[in-house]
Amino acid sequence: MILYTLKDNGYININQLESLKGVNVYVNMTNKCPCSCTFCLRQTKKMIESNTLWLKKEPSVEEILNEFDLYNLDDFHEVIFCGFGEPFERLYDILEIATILKEKKKDLSIRVNTNGLGNLLYDKDITPLLKDKIDTISISLNAPNKDEYLELTRSRFGIQSFDAMLDFSKKCKDYVPHVILTVVDIIGEKKISQCQKICDEIGVTLRVRPFEE
C-alpha cells in the first residue's frame, strides 16, 4: 500500500473507502529505518499480503503523485508521511511531493511522523528544508533518557541518538509550525512525567500514544 488510512485498528488502502471526506491519508514510501525498536510493529506484527505496509519496492515520486491524482485533495484532513520505515530516509522525495501537493492545495496540512534522526542520516541540519512544506513534525521520544532510548530503539547511530533527536526537535521549531514529541503509554506515569518535563523545557507538545499489540 502506498496511500492508506487507519480503520478498525488496521491499515486500509484509501481506494477501499466509500468516502474520503475528512480522512487522514498516510504515505508509505520506504522500509528503511536506522532503528530497530523493540516495540515496533515491524518486529511484532504479522500482516496478510493484502493488508501489509511492507513494500516489495519503493514507489517513485511519480508513482506517489499519480496515486494522489486519483483523489480530490479537498477531501483530505491531513497527509502524513508515515509507513513501516523512516520517512526521512527519502527526505528529498518528501520535499518534492509536499511542494507539488501544496501547489495544488496551499492549505493542505502535511505531517511527517519521524524518529527525529534526520540530521544524523544526512550529517547536516535538514530542518531549514522543511520550511513552508511541512506543517507538523511528530517525533518519537520513546524514553526519558539516552540509555533507555538506545535500549528501546537500538539505533545504529548509538548513544548520541537521543541528544541528536532532541536537538532536531528544537531546530524544527524555527521552521515547522507544530512540533510534537510522542511516547507510548506502556512506559508508565513516572516516565511520562519525565518526558513531559523534557517537552516543557524544549517548548513542544507531548502526545501519549496507546500501545498497539
Side-chain angles (χ1 to χ4, degrees):
M1 283 188 287
I2 299 175
L3 301 186
Y4 71 99
T5 193
L6 305 178
K7 185 177 182 181
D8 300 328
N9 294 321
Y11 310 111
I12 182 171
N13 194 313
I14 64 170
N15 66 14
Q16 298 179 37
L17 298 178
E18 293 183 5
S19 172
L20 295 175
K21 203 68 177 177
V23 72
N24 285 339
V25 176
Y26 293 80
V27 187
N28 186 28
M29 298 178 65
T30 184
N31 295 329
K32 298 175 185 175
C33 185
C35 296
S36 180
C37 298
T38 58
F39 56 83
C40 181
L41 296 182
R42 291 160 58 100
Q43 328 295 334
T44 63
K45 186 172 183 176
K46 292 183 179 181
M47 294 185 174
I48 60 174
E49 181 73 17
S50 62
N51 189 36
T52 182
L53 295 182
W54 282 108
L55 295 166
K56 292 183 178 178
K57 72 176 186 68
E58 290 189 349
S60 67
V61 169
E62 182 180 15
E63 287 173 321
I64 294 169
L65 291 173
N66 285 342
E67 286 281 320
F68 275 108
D69 283 342
L70 299 174
Y71 307 103
N72 184 351
L73 295 181
D74 289 333
D75 285 341
F76 299 159
H77 176 258
E78 189 174 32
V79 169
I80 304 142
F81 290 93
C82 172
F84 259 11
E86 164 53 43
F88 281 138
E89 290 275 3
R90 295 185 62 181
L91 168 66
Y92 296 101
D93 290 340
I94 286 177
L95 298 177
E96 182 179 353
I97 293 166
T99 298
I100 292 172
L101 293 179
K102 289 280 192 181
E103 287 173 352
K104 294 181 177 181
K105 181 174 170 53
K106 186 176 181 179
D107 63 347
L108 180 66
S109 180
I110 298 180
R111 182 196 344 157
V112 179
N113 288 358
T114 175
N115 56 33
L117 302 181
N119 288 350
L120 291 180
L121 280 172
Y122 294 90
D123 196 26
K124 67 177 184 180
D125 181 13
I126 68 170
T127 59
L129 302 175
L130 308 178
K131 183 177 173 59
D132 299 326
K133 298 177 177 64
I134 306 302
D135 302 286
T136 301
I137 288 283
S138 180
I139 301 165
S140 299
L141 174 57
N142 291 316
N145 61 68
K146 63 179 65 179
D147 292 320
E148 290 184 41
Y149 178 88
L150 183 59
E151 183 179 353
L152 283 172
T153 65
R154 299 181 290 196
S155 166
R156 67 177 171 88
F157 295 112
I159 198 66
Q160 66 174 323
S161 300
F162 183 76
D163 288 339
M165 175 270 297
L166 293 182
D167 184 64
F168 177 82
S169 305
K170 295 175 187 176
K171 286 181 166 64
C172 278
K173 290 172 55 184
D174 291 333
Y175 306 104
V176 178
H178 308 289
V179 181
I180 300 166
L181 296 185
T182 69
V183 294
V184 182
D185 57 8
I186 59 170
I187 67 173
E189 291 185 8
K190 181 179 179 180
K191 291 180 182 179
I192 289 174
S193 178
Q194 293 170 333
C195 290
Q196 181 64 66
K197 184 177 180 180
I198 291 172
C199 290
D200 291 342
E201 291 173 351
I202 296 175
V204 300
T205 299
L206 176 69
R207 183 169 75 87
V208 181
R209 299 182 289 111
F211 176 70
E212 183 177 346
E213 296 285 357

